[in-house]
Amino acid sequence: MSVTASQVHGAVQTLTQSSDTLFLLLGAIMVFLMHAGFAFLEVGTVRHKNQVNALVKILADFGISALAYFFIGYWVAYGANFFADAQTLSQGNGYELVKFFFLLTFAAAIPAIVSGGIAERARFYPVLIATFFTVGLVYPVFEGMIWNGNFGLQAWFESQFGYGFHDFAGSVVVHGVGGWIALVAVLFLGMRKGRIRAGKHTNFAPSNIPFLALGAWILCVGWFGFNVMSAQTLNGISGLVAMNSLMAMVGGIVAALIAGKNDPGFIHNGPLAGLVAVCAGSDLMHPIGALITGAIAGALFVYLFTYLQNRTKIDDVLGVWPLHGVCGAWGGVAAGIFGQTALGGLGGVSITVQLLGTITGIAVALIGALIVYGIIDKMSGLRLSEEDEFNGADLAIHKISSTSED
């Protein structure tokens, strides 16, 4: 029995499709696991009376994010919906469905980032409403601009400067947008009670360093799915992305170790700062450029978080604005610097475009967050009552403590 060329081609195509589907599914699972990292990072940082709330918020946010992105956000970003029959949806081994799952885990990172900034004093359901609109509308607007060419922004960049805005895995699209949205939410909520005593700033110590460390480790491991599998196909996978992610992580660790003077909170957030910053240019940079990018991010996080906590009224509990907002913006610009062939990169990127694209992402995040959180704050309020905040979100919202009293 002879095998025709078309049969061989069909078999190869089926194998390729199924392999790409499995590849992206594994990436989606790895990034989904990162949400456990967000949860434990927050659990280890907040005080004991708010640990249950931290866990519940992250999972509830993911559920609301899935609904918002399924029915609205994915359509806004990519012009696609899921209202066809199951047979149509499952064509190509269901690759498009798995792609949605993968991109959903990115979208759901937005409220997970915000959660760490507003911890210990935010009301539960108003925050979930904010999650629905930020994931359903605010984030997809910029996501679609950069990753789907919506509104002609990328076309304009290319016509004016010769290159589009490059953000391979979301330094700006995901982390930058999430961090700047969080800043707005933090400012609306104000400082936690007890942070100012006798006219001086008082910092609340992390409640559980092992949980904080566990969260950081989970995030670090999952991040290789976040970055490497942003290629979205086996054919596009690059060992350079993995190497650059590793080196940026190492740069963040060492910089935070030195700048943070052995503080365990800084040391475990340092690698996350490096990984945030390298997302955009991880497919372009030389590993030494990635190392420098991560080191600058690690130092930026330590110094800016210290300044915020000790000198301002911006009470960002986990430091998500410096970690994701500022380091994400730095990553967008760094891709334009260390992606240049003169610095060992692969080229094909413009510093000017990287700067303009980063500013655009910040603007979309700030304007969108001001509208969403401003309206919700006016309609229902965002903050717990003083009594509920004193008792803790665990008892006030969930009627249970993280530890049993024998």
Side-chain angles (χ1 to χ4, degrees):
M1 178 179 177
S2 61
V3 178
T4 66
S6 61
Q7 287 175 319
V8 172
H9 176 74
V12 171
Q13 187 176 36
T14 300
L15 180 61
T16 301
Q17 288 175 340
S18 59
S19 298
D20 287 342
T21 301
L22 178 60
F23 172 76
L24 199 56
L25 175 60
L26 293 174
I29 292 168
M30 289 181 72
V31 184
F32 180 44
L33 181 61
M34 289 176 70
H35 289 265
F38 283 119
F40 279 101
L41 192 69
E42 185 173 335
V43 167
T45 304
V46 299
R47 289 168 288 179
H48 288 289
K49 62 184 180 179
N50 297 297
Q51 289 181 327
V52 171
N53 181 245
L55 291 169
V56 174
K57 265 194 308 175
I58 299 295
L59 193 57
D61 274 333
F62 190 89
I64 297 299
S65 296
L67 292 176
Y69 200 64
F70 183 87
F71 287 106
I72 303 173
Y74 196 71
W75 172 74
V76 170
Y78 300 102
N81 62 63
F82 301 98
F83 296 110
D85 59 79
Q87 184 175 358
T88 302
L89 292 174
S90 62
Q91 289 178 353
N93 296 97
Y95 176 83
E96 290 300 321
L97 299 179
V98 173
K99 180 181 177 181
F100 163 79
F101 181 17
F102 183 68
L103 292 172
L104 163 64
T105 60
F106 280 53
I110 300 297
I113 291 167
V114 174
S115 178
I118 64 175
E120 301 201 313
R121 75 274 199 203
R123 294 179 64 200
F124 189 63
Y125 286 106
V127 167
L128 289 183
I129 294 170
T131 290
F132 185 88
F133 287 104
T134 52
V135 174
L137 293 172
V138 180
Y139 165 75
V141 166
F142 189 64
E143 177 191 19
M145 283 181 173
I146 304 306
W147 287 343
N148 198 48
N150 296 354
F151 304 110
L153 179 67
Q154 290 285 42
W156 183 80
F157 282 150
E158 290 171 9
S159 66
Q160 296 296 313
F161 304 98
Y163 299 105
F165 179 70
H166 189 88
D167 192 352
F168 180 69
S171 284
V172 180
V173 173
V174 179
H175 299 284
V177 167
W180 288 88
I181 288 175
L183 175 63
V184 172
V186 166
L187 291 173
F188 269 112
L189 282 161
M191 298 185 75
R192 288 168 289 172
K193 299 297 182 183
R195 284 276 284 112
I196 301 291
R197 296 178 185 175
K200 295 182 179 180
H201 283 69
T202 299
N203 295 321
F204 303 128
S207 61
N208 192 311
I209 295 296
F211 275 165
L212 186 157
L214 175 63
W217 274 102
I218 293 172
L219 284 165
C220 285
V221 173
W223 223 294
F224 287 88
F226 196 99
N227 283 2
V228 175
M229 290 170 173
S230 283
Q232 298 190 21
T233 62
L234 271 174
N235 186 51
I237 193 170
S238 170
L240 182 64
V241 176
M243 183 65 169
N244 284 341
S245 300
L246 175 67
M247 295 307 289
M249 181 182 73
V250 169
I253 292 171
V254 174
L257 173 66
I258 296 170
K261 300 177 181 177
N262 305 329
D263 182 283
F266 287 137
I267 291 169
H268 285 93
N269 276 283
L272 308 183
L275 286 162
V276 164
V278 82
C279 287
S282 57
D283 62 329
L284 296 177
M285 297 178 181
H286 186 280
I288 295 176
L291 178 67
I292 296 170
T293 297
I296 291 173
L300 265 176
F301 171 73
V302 172
Y303 291 126
L304 189 52
F305 182 68
T306 302
Y307 179 79
L308 290 178
Q309 291 296 94
N310 297 325
R311 299 293 181 87
T312 76
K313 293 184 178 181
I314 300 175
D315 191 7
D316 183 348
V317 180
L318 269 67
V320 297
W321 176 61
L323 181 66
H324 297 273
V326 176
C327 290
W330 157 239
V333 176
I337 298 171
F338 295 105
Q340 300 293 328
T341 54
L343 293 177
L346 297 181
V349 65
S350 162
I351 297 175
T352 302
V353 171
Q354 292 305 114
L355 183 60
L356 291 175
T358 299
I359 292 171
T360 303
I362 293 171
V364 170
L366 290 177
I367 294 169
L370 282 168
I371 294 171
V372 170
Y373 285 97
I375 291 174
I376 294 173
D377 189 48
K378 289 291 185 182
M379 292 184 65
S380 65
L382 289 165
R383 184 159 179 161
L384 290 172
S385 68
E386 189 169 343
E387 181 181 359
D388 284 344
E389 185 180 341
F390 177 81
N391 292 330
D394 293 358
L395 291 176
I397 298 172
H398 308 290
K399 314 302 181 187
I400 194 169
S401 171
S402 61
T403 55
S404 61
E405 303 249 350
D406 294 326

